[in-house]
Amino acid sequence: MRQCELSGDVERLRRHWPTVTAAVAHIERLRAAACALPPDHPSYGLLPEGFGDGGIGGTRAEYTNVLWTLIGLRYAAEGARLVGAADDQARFADLYDGLRADFERSARAHRRPLPDGSGDHLPMLLPGSGT
């Protein structure tokens, strides 16, 4: 999508559209797996545990993959608009909205004050997922 934006080559995006829809279908499966977790699991409603640090620390319940997935879904929905795939655009936007709502719910619960009291921060690792 970003390359299409920069080059203005919507045809290239159309040629790669099956890859985009397959990627979003994979995200849908990941979301379904996370929504099937017990409600007290740290990843419940978000995405399954993943490699937030490239795999150095192993898989954990974390927000990094959730945030990058939200960015990708937003771009995928915009790409769907550009290629005229209205059904995909609506589906991708719904997936984005659901993940965003679950992220915001989780983030509200896990926000922590900064040590100096100047505000809050959101730890990337979810409670119960290790150090």
Side-chain angles (χ1 to χ4, degrees), residues 7-128:
S7 68
D9 187 359
V10 176
E11 286 309 311
R12 179 179 182 183
L13 184 59
R14 277 194 185 90
R15 287 191 307 274
H16 291 287
W17 199 246
T19 302
V20 174
T21 58
V24 174
H26 181 69
I27 293 167
E28 288 170 324
R29 289 188 299 274
L30 292 173
R31 283 277 291 150
C35 290
L37 292 168
D40 62 343
H41 190 283
S43 294
Y44 174 75
L46 298 170
L47 294 172
E49 295 181 1
F51 299 113
D53 62 0
I56 294 169
T59 59
R60 294 186 174 128
E62 49 80 40
Y63 287 121
T64 308
N65 287 321
V66 174
L67 294 170
W68 282 112
T69 299
L70 285 167
I71 292 166
L73 288 171
R74 186 177 63 201
Y75 275 103
E78 175 59 17
R81 185 190 66 74
L82 286 175
V83 300
D87 290 344
D88 287 341
Q89 183 181 6
R91 191 174 108 229
F92 299 174
D94 286 347
L95 186 57
Y96 172 89
D97 290 343
L99 181 56
R100 174 85 186 252
D102 286 338
F103 164 73
E104 289 176 357
R105 170 198 47 80
S106 183
R108 276 191 302 276
H110 298 123
R111 214 174 289 148
R112 299 290 175 256
L114 290 168
D116 67 3
S118 64
D120 293 337
H121 78 286
L122 181 63
M124 284 296 103
L125 295 179
L126 286 130

